[in-house]
Amino acid sequence: MVGGTAAVLAGVALGLAPALGYPGGDEGLEVLLPSLFLCLGGGYAVLFPGVRVSRVTLRIVRDWKLYPLSGRLLWILAHVTAVTGLAVCIAAATTGLAVPGLLVWLFTGPYLALTGWAAALMGTAANIRLIGSEEGLLAPAVQPG
């Protein structure tokens, strides 16, 4: 997961400058391919293991207060990143038709990485609660009443 996060950061760093200065033609797209591979590949390299951490189904809305603050903040930050990316791509569509397609992975990679880390933290908390209930010990967060 750490390697995937590093790949996402490297992909954003590689793709940000060329994407912002992109003239709008189709020439020179091969310069941005390493950024695409690093952002999306790294994002999925974080997301898949992060989602597999939990042995139970994560119920984000129902169990929101049972998850650690760090997991909740990462989940919110992931969605803020997605909405910001959508807004930037819509705004960029006014300048050129190819620009939103070039910018989309610069936001998708970080969104996938943040979602993966949030799912890993929330899944770990759910596993800890599950282990406590299997051993007959109720974790303080799930005690009745």
Side-chain angles (χ1 to χ4, degrees):
M1 287 181 62
V2 172
T5 303
V8 168
L9 293 175
V12 169
L14 280 174
L16 194 56
L20 292 178
Y22 189 69
D26 284 340
E27 60 280 346
L29 288 178
E30 63 275 354
V31 174
L32 295 172
L33 284 177
S35 173
L36 169 73
F37 293 133
L38 286 171
C39 281
L40 295 182
Y44 283 117
V46 174
L47 180 66
F48 291 146
V51 170
R52 293 189 53 133
V53 165
S54 179
R55 295 190 290 167
V56 296
T57 302
L58 292 179
R59 292 176 176 85
I60 302 296
V61 175
R62 189 179 85 181
D63 295 338
W64 183 253
K65 293 192 182 217
L66 300 178
Y67 296 125
L69 180 62
S70 56
R72 291 184 289 177
L73 289 175
L74 284 175
W75 189 259
I76 291 169
L77 185 59
H79 287 83
V80 166
T81 302
V83 170
T84 303
L86 178 63
V88 167
C89 286
I90 289 171
T94 62
T95 62
L97 296 177
V99 176
L102 298 173
L103 289 176
V104 71
W105 72 78
L106 295 178
F107 290 96
T108 304
Y111 167 74
L112 294 172
L114 289 168
T115 303
W117 280 107
L121 289 171
M122 292 179 186
T124 301
N127 288 341
I128 291 170
R129 287 193 308 272
L130 179 67
I131 290 169
S133 66
E134 285 176 355
E135 295 175 355
L137 305 171
L138 289 178
V142 294
Q143 286 182 348

